[in-house]
Amino acid sequence: MRALIQGLVAAAGCVMSAAAQHAMPSAPTRVETLGLTVTIETPSAATGGASAVVRFGVPAGGGPPPHRHTREDEVFVILAGSYRFRMDGVCIEAGPGDTVYLPRGHVHQYQNVGSTPGEHILTLLPGGLEQSFVDMAAMGLQMPRDFAQLNQMS
């Protein structure tokens, strides 16, 4: 795909900047971990660390326990399912087409409270956390058994 895009850019008489080369698409990385399907659509390496975009498949009833990120803000775009988000004691319901922003430093949780699988796109600002899902899958970590270790990784 990269060669095709570079060829199109060259054919159009354009010069590709270093920033544009960072934005070149790459094959998504997909892993199964913690009962979730995690697909890294845009790794932080492609954005110079500024952000990452990750797609999650969440089974009915699935989602993480309450946790806190000290480094990342999160923006969720719900594609399918019925979600409940909790942050600092406040609950909101979200469904397809809804966007939810969770700033760093706050205890939060999401759960697919519907009876069908959920799917959402998560944008991480800055990026970097997406690699922890690949690491968790490689280590075979599971909830709730490995919660303490998982919490240290995020």
Side-chain angles (χ1 to χ4, degrees):
M1 179 63 116
R2 178 181 293 270
L4 173 63
I5 291 173
Q6 287 173 334
L8 292 172
V9 168
C14 298
V15 176
M16 186 171 273
S17 70
Q21 289 181 25
H22 268 293
M24 299 300 290
S26 60
T29 300
R30 181 179 169 160
V31 296
E32 301 284 333
T33 187
L34 309 176
L36 306 170
T37 300
V38 180
T39 306
I40 301 171
E41 301 286 352
T42 306
S44 58
T47 67
S51 63
V53 178
V54 185
R55 180 183 302 264
F56 286 83
V58 183
H67 61 284
R68 176 190 331 248
H69 300 286
T70 59
R71 193 176 160 272
E72 302 85 13
D73 294 332
E74 297 177 305
V75 179
F76 291 76
V77 177
I78 310 305
L79 303 175
S82 297
Y83 283 70
R84 178 175 297 132
F85 288 84
R86 290 186 175 95
M87 185 177 80
D88 296 338
V90 175
C91 288
I92 63 166
E93 305 287 325
D98 291 333
T99 300
V100 177
Y101 170 70
L102 300 176
R104 70 189 82 187
H106 295 265
V107 174
H108 64 278
Q109 175 184 26
Y110 73 85
Q111 183 178 22
N112 176 10
V113 296
S115 60
T116 59
E119 184 177 27
H120 66 271
I121 297 285
L122 175 65
T123 300
L124 297 162
L125 304 159
L129 182 65
E130 75 280 5
Q131 183 58 43
S132 67
F133 295 103
V134 175
D135 297 342
M136 290 176 207
M139 296 165 65
L141 299 181
Q142 297 178 7
M143 290 295 290
R145 180 192 75 196
D146 299 313
F147 180 69
Q149 186 175 356
L150 290 163
N151 214 22
Q152 291 174 351
M153 293 176 74
S154 60

